[in-house]
mmCIF file with all atom_site columns, all heavy atoms in Angstrom:
data_model
loop_
_atom_site.group_PDB
_atom_site.id
_atom_site.type_symbol
_atom_site.label_atom_id
_atom_site.label_alt_id
_atom_site.label_comp_id
_atom_site.label_asym_id
_atom_site.label_entity_id
_atom_site.label_seq_id
_atom_site.pdbx_PDB_ins_code
_atom_site.Cartn_x
_atom_site.Cartn_y
_atom_site.Cartn_z
_atom_site.occupancy
_atom_site.B_iso_or_equiv
_atom_site.pdbx_formal_charge
_atom_site.auth_seq_id
_atom_site.auth_comp_id
_atom_site.auth_asym_id
_atom_site.auth_atom_id
_atom_site.pdbx_PDB_model_num
ATOM   1   N  N   . LYS A 1 161 ? -26.744 18.299 -7.443  1.00 0.00 ? 172 LYS A N   1
ATOM   2   C  CA  . LYS A 1 161 ? -27.932 18.056 -8.266  1.00 0.00 ? 172 LYS A CA  1
ATOM   3   C  C   . LYS A 1 161 ? -29.180 18.514 -7.519  1.00 0.00 ? 172 LYS A C   1
ATOM   4   O  O   . LYS A 1 161 ? -29.335 18.227 -6.334  1.00 0.00 ? 172 LYS A O   1
ATOM   5   C  CB  . LYS A 1 161 ? -28.005 16.551 -8.561  1.00 0.00 ? 172 LYS A CB  1
ATOM   6   C  CG  . LYS A 1 161 ? -29.316 16.098 -9.203  1.00 0.00 ? 172 LYS A CG  1
ATOM   7   C  CD  . LYS A 1 161 ? -29.213 14.650 -9.686  1.00 0.00 ? 172 LYS A CD  1
ATOM   8   C  CE  . LYS A 1 161 ? -30.580 14.048 -9.963  1.00 0.00 ? 172 LYS A CE  1
ATOM   9   N  NZ  . LYS A 1 161 ? -30.520 12.725 -10.563 1.00 0.00 ? 172 LYS A NZ  1
ATOM   10  N  N   . ILE A 1 178 ? -34.672 7.212  -6.397  1.00 0.00 ? 189 ILE A N   1
ATOM   11  C  CA  . ILE A 1 178 ? -33.425 7.978  -6.211  1.00 0.00 ? 189 ILE A CA  1
ATOM   12  C  C   . ILE A 1 178 ? -33.075 8.907  -7.369  1.00 0.00 ? 189 ILE A C   1
ATOM   13  O  O   . ILE A 1 178 ? -32.295 9.823  -7.208  1.00 0.00 ? 189 ILE A O   1
ATOM   14  C  CB  . ILE A 1 178 ? -32.204 7.076  -5.911  1.00 0.00 ? 189 ILE A CB  1
ATOM   15  C  CG1 . ILE A 1 178 ? -31.992 6.049  -7.004  1.00 0.00 ? 189 ILE A CG1 1
ATOM   16  C  CG2 . ILE A 1 178 ? -32.307 6.423  -4.570  1.00 0.00 ? 189 ILE A CG2 1
ATOM   17  C  CD1 . ILE A 1 178 ? -30.639 5.374  -6.881  1.00 0.00 ? 189 ILE A CD1 1
ATOM   18  N  N   . PHE A 1 179 ? -33.690 8.674  -8.541  1.00 0.00 ? 190 PHE A N   1
ATOM   19  C  CA  . PHE A 1 179 ? -33.363 9.535  -9.681  1.00 0.00 ? 190 PHE A CA  1
ATOM   20  C  C   . PHE A 1 179 ? -33.980 10.921 -9.490  1.00 0.00 ? 190 PHE A C   1
ATOM   21  O  O   . PHE A 1 179 ? -33.404 11.929 -9.880  1.00 0.00 ? 190 PHE A O   1
ATOM   22  C  CB  . PHE A 1 179 ? -33.918 8.863  -10.941 1.00 0.00 ? 190 PHE A CB  1
ATOM   23  C  CG  . PHE A 1 179 ? -33.441 9.467  -12.225 1.00 0.00 ? 190 PHE A CG  1
ATOM   24  C  CD1 . PHE A 1 179 ? -32.121 9.851  -12.394 1.00 0.00 ? 190 PHE A CD1 1
ATOM   25  C  CD2 . PHE A 1 179 ? -34.314 9.631  -13.293 1.00 0.00 ? 190 PHE A CD2 1
ATOM   26  C  CE1 . PHE A 1 179 ? -31.679 10.396 -13.590 1.00 0.00 ? 190 PHE A CE1 1
ATOM   27  C  CE2 . PHE A 1 179 ? -33.887 10.175 -14.489 1.00 0.00 ? 190 PHE A CE2 1
ATOM   28  C  CZ  . PHE A 1 179 ? -32.567 10.559 -14.641 1.00 0.00 ? 190 PHE A CZ  1
ATOM   29  N  N   . TRP A 1 188 ? -33.767 9.802  -0.649  1.00 0.00 ? 199 TRP A N   1
ATOM   30  C  CA  . TRP A 1 188 ? -32.613 9.495  -1.503  1.00 0.00 ? 199 TRP A CA  1
ATOM   31  C  C   . TRP A 1 188 ? -31.555 8.749  -0.695  1.00 0.00 ? 199 TRP A C   1
ATOM   32  O  O   . TRP A 1 188 ? -30.986 7.760  -1.142  1.00 0.00 ? 199 TRP A O   1
ATOM   33  C  CB  . TRP A 1 188 ? -32.001 10.773 -2.101  1.00 0.00 ? 199 TRP A CB  1
ATOM   34  C  CG  . TRP A 1 188 ? -30.845 10.424 -3.001  1.00 0.00 ? 199 TRP A CG  1
ATOM   35  C  CD1 . TRP A 1 188 ? -30.906 10.040 -4.310  1.00 0.00 ? 199 TRP A CD1 1
ATOM   36  C  CD2 . TRP A 1 188 ? -29.453 10.372 -2.640  1.00 0.00 ? 199 TRP A CD2 1
ATOM   37  N  NE1 . TRP A 1 188 ? -29.648 9.742  -4.795  1.00 0.00 ? 199 TRP A NE1 1
ATOM   38  C  CE2 . TRP A 1 188 ? -28.732 9.940  -3.783  1.00 0.00 ? 199 TRP A CE2 1
ATOM   39  C  CE3 . TRP A 1 188 ? -28.740 10.624 -1.474  1.00 0.00 ? 199 TRP A CE3 1
ATOM   40  C  CZ2 . TRP A 1 188 ? -27.348 9.779  -3.795  1.00 0.00 ? 199 TRP A CZ2 1
ATOM   41  C  CZ3 . TRP A 1 188 ? -27.356 10.460 -1.486  1.00 0.00 ? 199 TRP A CZ3 1
ATOM   42  C  CH2 . TRP A 1 188 ? -26.673 10.033 -2.635  1.00 0.00 ? 199 TRP A CH2 1
ATOM   43  N  N   . ILE A 1 246 ? -34.509 -4.879 -17.828 1.00 0.00 ? 257 ILE A N   1
ATOM   44  C  CA  . ILE A 1 246 ? -34.699 -4.241 -16.528 1.00 0.00 ? 257 ILE A CA  1
ATOM   45  C  C   . ILE A 1 246 ? -35.965 -4.777 -15.860 1.00 0.00 ? 257 ILE A C   1
ATOM   46  O  O   . ILE A 1 246 ? -36.028 -4.930 -14.642 1.00 0.00 ? 257 ILE A O   1
ATOM   47  C  CB  . ILE A 1 246 ? -34.658 -2.682 -16.648 1.00 0.00 ? 257 ILE A CB  1
ATOM   48  C  CG1 . ILE A 1 246 ? -34.538 -2.025 -15.281 1.00 0.00 ? 257 ILE A CG1 1
ATOM   49  C  CG2 . ILE A 1 246 ? -35.799 -2.113 -17.422 1.00 0.00 ? 257 ILE A CG2 1
ATOM   50  C  CD1 . ILE A 1 246 ? -33.192 -2.169 -14.683 1.00 0.00 ? 257 ILE A CD1 1
ATOM   51  N  N   . ALA A 1 362 ? -34.782 5.179  -15.799 1.00 0.00 ? 373 ALA A N   1
ATOM   52  C  CA  . ALA A 1 362 ? -33.372 5.526  -15.979 1.00 0.00 ? 373 ALA A CA  1
ATOM   53  C  C   . ALA A 1 362 ? -32.619 4.428  -16.710 1.00 0.00 ? 373 ALA A C   1
ATOM   54  O  O   . ALA A 1 362 ? -31.588 4.673  -17.318 1.00 0.00 ? 373 ALA A O   1
ATOM   55  C  CB  . ALA A 1 362 ? -32.720 5.777  -14.618 1.00 0.00 ? 373 ALA A CB  1
ATOM   56  N  N   . GLY A 1 363 ? -33.155 3.218  -16.633 1.00 0.00 ? 374 GLY A N   1
ATOM   57  C  CA  . GLY A 1 363 ? -32.355 2.084  -17.082 1.00 0.00 ? 374 GLY A CA  1
ATOM   58  C  C   . GLY A 1 363 ? -32.648 1.537  -18.454 1.00 0.00 ? 374 GLY A C   1
ATOM   59  O  O   . GLY A 1 363 ? -31.875 0.722  -18.943 1.00 0.00 ? 374 GLY A O   1
ATOM   60  N  N   . THR A 1 366 ? -31.742 4.833  -21.987 1.00 0.00 ? 377 THR A N   1
ATOM   61  C  CA  . THR A 1 366 ? -30.324 5.182  -22.155 1.00 0.00 ? 377 THR A CA  1
ATOM   62  C  C   . THR A 1 366 ? -29.567 4.047  -22.825 1.00 0.00 ? 377 THR A C   1
ATOM   63  O  O   . THR A 1 366 ? -28.793 4.253  -23.752 1.00 0.00 ? 377 THR A O   1
ATOM   64  C  CB  . THR A 1 366 ? -29.722 5.448  -20.768 1.00 0.00 ? 377 THR A CB  1
ATOM   65  O  OG1 . THR A 1 366 ? -30.259 4.470  -19.861 1.00 0.00 ? 377 THR A OG1 1
ATOM   66  C  CG2 . THR A 1 366 ? -30.036 6.821  -20.281 1.00 0.00 ? 377 THR A CG2 1
ATOM   67  N  N   . THR A 1 370 ? -27.946 3.627  -26.652 1.00 0.00 ? 381 THR A N   1
ATOM   68  C  CA  . THR A 1 370 ? -26.544 3.267  -26.861 1.00 0.00 ? 381 THR A CA  1
ATOM   69  C  C   . THR A 1 370 ? -26.434 2.120  -27.859 1.00 0.00 ? 381 THR A C   1
ATOM   70  O  O   . THR A 1 370 ? -25.624 2.160  -28.799 1.00 0.00 ? 381 THR A O   1
ATOM   71  C  CB  . THR A 1 370 ? -25.913 2.848  -25.505 1.00 0.00 ? 381 THR A CB  1
ATOM   72  O  OG1 . THR A 1 370 ? -26.269 3.824  -24.544 1.00 0.00 ? 381 THR A OG1 1
ATOM   73  C  CG2 . THR A 1 370 ? -24.417 2.704  -25.597 1.00 0.00 ? 381 THR A CG2 1
ATOM   74  N  N   . ILE A 1 431 ? -26.629 17.363 -18.016 1.00 0.00 ? 442 ILE A N   1
ATOM   75  C  CA  . ILE A 1 431 ? -27.100 17.208 -16.643 1.00 0.00 ? 442 ILE A CA  1
ATOM   76  C  C   . ILE A 1 431 ? -27.004 18.570 -15.956 1.00 0.00 ? 442 ILE A C   1
ATOM   77  O  O   . ILE A 1 431 ? -26.229 19.422 -16.385 1.00 0.00 ? 442 ILE A O   1
ATOM   78  C  CB  . ILE A 1 431 ? -26.316 16.140 -15.854 1.00 0.00 ? 442 ILE A CB  1
ATOM   79  C  CG1 . ILE A 1 431 ? -24.813 16.388 -15.941 1.00 0.00 ? 442 ILE A CG1 1
ATOM   80  C  CG2 . ILE A 1 431 ? -26.668 14.751 -16.323 1.00 0.00 ? 442 ILE A CG2 1
ATOM   81  C  CD1 . ILE A 1 431 ? -23.993 15.434 -15.105 1.00 0.00 ? 442 ILE A CD1 1
ATOM   82  N  N   . PRO A 1 493 ? -20.646 10.275 -19.675 1.00 0.00 ? 504 PRO A N   1
ATOM   83  C  CA  . PRO A 1 493 ? -22.004 9.904  -20.090 1.00 0.00 ? 504 PRO A CA  1
ATOM   84  C  C   . PRO A 1 493 ? -22.830 9.413  -18.905 1.00 0.00 ? 504 PRO A C   1
ATOM   85  O  O   . PRO A 1 493 ? -24.050 9.457  -18.959 1.00 0.00 ? 504 PRO A O   1
ATOM   86  C  CB  . PRO A 1 493 ? -21.774 8.787  -21.102 1.00 0.00 ? 504 PRO A CB  1
ATOM   87  C  CG  . PRO A 1 493 ? -20.433 8.251  -20.797 1.00 0.00 ? 504 PRO A CG  1
ATOM   88  C  CD  . PRO A 1 493 ? -19.630 9.399  -20.268 1.00 0.00 ? 504 PRO A CD  1
ATOM   89  N  N   . PHE A 1 494 ? -22.155 8.943  -17.871 1.00 0.00 ? 505 PHE A N   1
ATOM   90  C  CA  . PHE A 1 494 ? -22.884 8.439  -16.709 1.00 0.00 ? 505 PHE A CA  1
ATOM   91  C  C   . PHE A 1 494 ? -22.854 9.433  -15.548 1.00 0.00 ? 505 PHE A C   1
ATOM   92  O  O   . PHE A 1 494 ? -23.160 9.067  -14.414 1.00 0.00 ? 505 PHE A O   1
ATOM   93  C  CB  . PHE A 1 494 ? -22.282 7.117  -16.233 1.00 0.00 ? 505 PHE A CB  1
ATOM   94  C  CG  . PHE A 1 494 ? -22.377 6.002  -17.233 1.00 0.00 ? 505 PHE A CG  1
ATOM   95  C  CD1 . PHE A 1 494 ? -21.291 5.660  -18.040 1.00 0.00 ? 505 PHE A CD1 1
ATOM   96  C  CD2 . PHE A 1 494 ? -23.555 5.277  -17.379 1.00 0.00 ? 505 PHE A CD2 1
ATOM   97  C  CE1 . PHE A 1 494 ? -21.382 4.626  -18.957 1.00 0.00 ? 505 PHE A CE1 1
ATOM   98  C  CE2 . PHE A 1 494 ? -23.647 4.237  -18.289 1.00 0.00 ? 505 PHE A CE2 1
ATOM   99  C  CZ  . PHE A 1 494 ? -22.557 3.918  -19.094 1.00 0.00 ? 505 PHE A CZ  1
ATOM   100 N  N   . ARG A 1 499 ? -24.090 11.285 -7.202  1.00 0.00 ? 510 ARG A N   1
ATOM   101 C  CA  . ARG A 1 499 ? -25.296 11.311 -8.021  1.00 0.00 ? 510 ARG A CA  1
ATOM   102 C  C   . ARG A 1 499 ? -25.017 10.792 -9.439  1.00 0.00 ? 510 ARG A C   1
ATOM   103 O  O   . ARG A 1 499 ? -25.808 11.012 -10.360 1.00 0.00 ? 510 ARG A O   1
ATOM   104 C  CB  . ARG A 1 499 ? -25.894 12.721 -8.102  1.00 0.00 ? 510 ARG A CB  1
ATOM   105 C  CG  . ARG A 1 499 ? -26.327 13.303 -6.781  1.00 0.00 ? 510 ARG A CG  1
ATOM   106 C  CD  . ARG A 1 499 ? -27.247 12.418 -5.972  1.00 0.00 ? 510 ARG A CD  1
ATOM   107 N  NE  . ARG A 1 499 ? -28.504 12.032 -6.585  1.00 0.00 ? 510 ARG A NE  1
ATOM   108 C  CZ  . ARG A 1 499 ? -29.671 12.609 -6.379  1.00 0.00 ? 510 ARG A CZ  1
ATOM   109 N  NH1 . ARG A 1 499 ? -29.758 13.643 -5.591  1.00 0.00 ? 510 ARG A NH1 1
ATOM   110 N  NH2 . ARG A 1 499 ? -30.777 12.146 -6.938  1.00 0.00 ? 510 ARG A NH2 1
ATOM   111 N  N   . CYS A 1 501 ? -24.427 7.720  -12.253 1.00 0.00 ? 512 CYS A N   1
ATOM   112 C  CA  . CYS A 1 501 ? -25.340 6.625  -12.599 1.00 0.00 ? 512 CYS A CA  1
ATOM   113 C  C   . CYS A 1 501 ? -25.056 5.383  -11.751 1.00 0.00 ? 512 CYS A C   1
ATOM   114 O  O   . CYS A 1 501 ? -23.945 4.878  -11.724 1.00 0.00 ? 512 CYS A O   1
ATOM   115 C  CB  . CYS A 1 501 ? -25.158 6.287  -14.066 1.00 0.00 ? 512 CYS A CB  1
ATOM   116 S  SG  . CYS A 1 501 ? -26.208 4.930  -14.565 1.00 0.00 ? 512 CYS A SG  1
ATOM   117 N  N   . ILE A 1 502 ? -26.078 4.899  -11.118 1.00 0.00 ? 513 ILE A N   1
ATOM   118 C  CA  . ILE A 1 502 ? -25.930 3.691  -10.295 1.00 0.00 ? 513 ILE A CA  1
ATOM   119 C  C   . ILE A 1 502 ? -25.861 2.455  -11.195 1.00 0.00 ? 513 ILE A C   1
ATOM   120 O  O   . ILE A 1 502 ? -25.322 1.419  -10.834 1.00 0.00 ? 513 ILE A O   1
ATOM   121 C  CB  . ILE A 1 502 ? -27.112 3.608  -9.290  1.00 0.00 ? 513 ILE A CB  1
ATOM   122 C  CG1 . ILE A 1 502 ? -26.816 2.658  -8.153  1.00 0.00 ? 513 ILE A CG1 1
ATOM   123 C  CG2 . ILE A 1 502 ? -28.390 3.231  -9.972  1.00 0.00 ? 513 ILE A CG2 1
ATOM   124 C  CD1 . ILE A 1 502 ? -27.869 2.717  -7.046  1.00 0.00 ? 513 ILE A CD1 1
ATOM   125 N  N   . PHE A 1 506 ? -24.115 -2.133 -14.933 1.00 0.00 ? 517 PHE A N   1
ATOM   126 C  CA  . PHE A 1 506 ? -25.253 -2.902 -15.430 1.00 0.00 ? 517 PHE A CA  1
ATOM   127 C  C   . PHE A 1 506 ? -25.409 -2.631 -16.931 1.00 0.00 ? 517 PHE A C   1
ATOM   128 O  O   . PHE A 1 506 ? -25.504 -3.544 -17.762 1.00 0.00 ? 517 PHE A O   1
ATOM   129 C  CB  . PHE A 1 506 ? -26.501 -2.447 -14.666 1.00 0.00 ? 517 PHE A CB  1
ATOM   130 C  CG  . PHE A 1 506 ? -27.762 -3.191 -15.000 1.00 0.00 ? 517 PHE A CG  1
ATOM   131 C  CD1 . PHE A 1 506 ? -28.235 -4.171 -14.148 1.00 0.00 ? 517 PHE A CD1 1
ATOM   132 C  CD2 . PHE A 1 506 ? -28.489 -2.913 -16.150 1.00 0.00 ? 517 PHE A CD2 1
ATOM   133 C  CE1 . PHE A 1 506 ? -29.417 -4.850 -14.430 1.00 0.00 ? 517 PHE A CE1 1
ATOM   134 C  CE2 . PHE A 1 506 ? -29.664 -3.583 -16.441 1.00 0.00 ? 517 PHE A CE2 1
ATOM   135 C  CZ  . PHE A 1 506 ? -30.130 -4.556 -15.577 1.00 0.00 ? 517 PHE A CZ  1
ATOM   136 N  N   . ALA A 1 507 ? -25.398 -1.333 -17.279 1.00 0.00 ? 518 ALA A N   1
ATOM   137 C  CA  . ALA A 1 507 ? -25.622 -0.951 -18.672 1.00 0.00 ? 518 ALA A CA  1
ATOM   138 C  C   . ALA A 1 507 ? -24.496 -1.450 -19.568 1.00 0.00 ? 518 ALA A C   1
ATOM   139 O  O   . ALA A 1 507 ? -24.736 -1.970 -20.664 1.00 0.00 ? 518 ALA A O   1
ATOM   140 C  CB  . ALA A 1 507 ? -25.735 0.568  -18.767 1.00 0.00 ? 518 ALA A CB  1
HETATM 141 C  C1  . HEM B 2 .   ? -25.901 3.630  -21.205 1.00 0.00 ? 5   HEM B C1  1
HETATM 142 C  C2  . HEM B 2 .   ? -26.774 3.628  -20.240 1.00 0.00 ? 5   HEM B C2  1
HETATM 143 C  C3  . HEM B 2 .   ? -26.925 4.722  -19.203 1.00 0.00 ? 5   HEM B C3  1
HETATM 144 C  C4  . HEM B 2 .   ? -26.538 6.018  -19.223 1.00 0.00 ? 5   HEM B C4  1
HETATM 145 C  C5  . HEM B 2 .   ? -25.811 6.744  -20.330 1.00 0.00 ? 5   HEM B C5  1
HETATM 146 C  C6  . HEM B 2 .   ? -26.916 6.587  -17.955 1.00 0.00 ? 5   HEM B C6  1
HETATM 147 C  C7  . HEM B 2 .   ? -26.667 7.908  -17.603 1.00 0.00 ? 5   HEM B C7  1
HETATM 148 C  C8  . HEM B 2 .   ? -27.000 8.442  -16.375 1.00 0.00 ? 5   HEM B C8  1
HETATM 149 C  C9  . HEM B 2 .   ? -26.724 9.789  -15.976 1.00 0.00 ? 5   HEM B C9  1
HETATM 150 C  C10 . HEM B 2 .   ? -26.028 10.836 -16.826 1.00 0.00 ? 5   HEM B C10 1
HETATM 151 C  C11 . HEM B 2 .   ? -27.196 9.954  -14.736 1.00 0.00 ? 5   HEM B C11 1
HETATM 152 C  C12 . HEM B 2 .   ? -27.134 11.230 -13.877 1.00 0.00 ? 5   HEM B C12 1
HETATM 153 C  C13 . HEM B 2 .   ? -28.406 11.961 -14.083 1.00 0.00 ? 5   HEM B C13 1
HETATM 154 C  C14 . HEM B 2 .   ? -28.482 13.287 -13.350 1.00 0.00 ? 5   HEM B C14 1
HETATM 155 O  O1  . HEM B 2 .   ? -27.460 13.874 -12.970 1.00 0.00 ? 5   HEM B O1  1
HETATM 156 O  O2  . HEM B 2 .   ? -29.606 13.726 -13.170 1.00 0.00 ? 5   HEM B O2  1
HETATM 157 C  C15 . HEM B 2 .   ? -27.764 8.693  -14.329 1.00 0.00 ? 5   HEM B C15 1
HETATM 158 C  C16 . HEM B 2 .   ? -28.325 8.484  -13.100 1.00 0.00 ? 5   HEM B C16 1
HETATM 159 C  C17 . HEM B 2 .   ? -28.977 7.305  -12.783 1.00 0.00 ? 5   HEM B C17 1
HETATM 160 N  N1  . HEM B 2 .   ? -29.000 6.166  -13.522 1.00 0.00 ? 5   HEM B N1  1
HETATM 161 FE FE1 . HEM B 2 .   ? -28.203 5.860  -15.326 1.00 0.00 ? 5   HEM B FE1 1
HETATM 162 N  N2  . HEM B 2 .   ? -27.535 5.638  -17.211 1.00 0.00 ? 5   HEM B N2  1
HETATM 163 C  C18 . HEM B 2 .   ? -27.556 4.477  -17.934 1.00 0.00 ? 5   HEM B C18 1
HETATM 164 C  C19 . HEM B 2 .   ? -28.075 3.270  -17.543 1.00 0.00 ? 5   HEM B C19 1
HETATM 165 C  C20 . HEM B 2 .   ? -28.701 3.037  -16.341 1.00 0.00 ? 5   HEM B C20 1
HETATM 166 C  C21 . HEM B 2 .   ? -29.256 1.779  -15.924 1.00 0.00 ? 5   HEM B C21 1
HETATM 167 C  C22 . HEM B 2 .   ? -29.170 0.485  -16.739 1.00 0.00 ? 5   HEM B C22 1
HETATM 168 C  C23 . HEM B 2 .   ? -29.817 1.968  -14.711 1.00 0.00 ? 5   HEM B C23 1
HETATM 169 C  C24 . HEM B 2 .   ? -30.528 1.014  -13.809 1.00 0.00 ? 5   HEM B C24 1
HETATM 170 C  C25 . HEM B 2 .   ? -30.612 -0.249 -13.983 1.00 0.00 ? 5   HEM B C25 1
HETATM 171 C  C26 . HEM B 2 .   ? -29.610 3.352  -14.361 1.00 0.00 ? 5   HEM B C26 1
HETATM 172 C  C27 . HEM B 2 .   ? -30.030 3.947  -13.203 1.00 0.00 ? 5   HEM B C27 1
HETATM 173 C  C28 . HEM B 2 .   ? -29.742 5.232  -12.838 1.00 0.00 ? 5   HEM B C28 1
HETATM 174 C  C29 . HEM B 2 .   ? -30.211 5.828  -11.595 1.00 0.00 ? 5   HEM B C29 1
HETATM 175 C  C30 . HEM B 2 .   ? -31.065 5.147  -10.543 1.00 0.00 ? 5   HEM B C30 1
HETATM 176 C  C31 . HEM B 2 .   ? -29.724 7.122  -11.564 1.00 0.00 ? 5   HEM B C31 1
HETATM 177 C  C32 . HEM B 2 .   ? -29.928 8.150  -10.465 1.00 0.00 ? 5   HEM B C32 1
HETATM 178 C  C33 . HEM B 2 .   ? -28.811 8.016  -9.453  1.00 0.00 ? 5   HEM B C33 1
HETATM 179 C  C34 . HEM B 2 .   ? -28.915 9.058  -8.344  1.00 0.00 ? 5   HEM B C34 1
HETATM 180 O  O3  . HEM B 2 .   ? -29.206 10.214 -8.633  1.00 0.00 ? 5   HEM B O3  1
HETATM 181 O  O4  . HEM B 2 .   ? -28.643 8.678  -7.189  1.00 0.00 ? 5   HEM B O4  1
HETATM 182 N  N3  . HEM B 2 .   ? -28.931 3.964  -15.373 1.00 0.00 ? 5   HEM B N3  1
HETATM 183 N  N4  . HEM B 2 .   ? -27.635 7.796  -15.334 1.00 0.00 ? 5   HEM B N4  1
#
Side-chain angles (χ1 to χ4, degrees):
K172 170 170 164 174
I189 57 167
F190 192 42
W199 182 83
I257 193 73
T377 40
T381 313
I442 52 176
F505 297 99
R510 299 308 301 262
C512 179
I513 198 171
F517 183 102

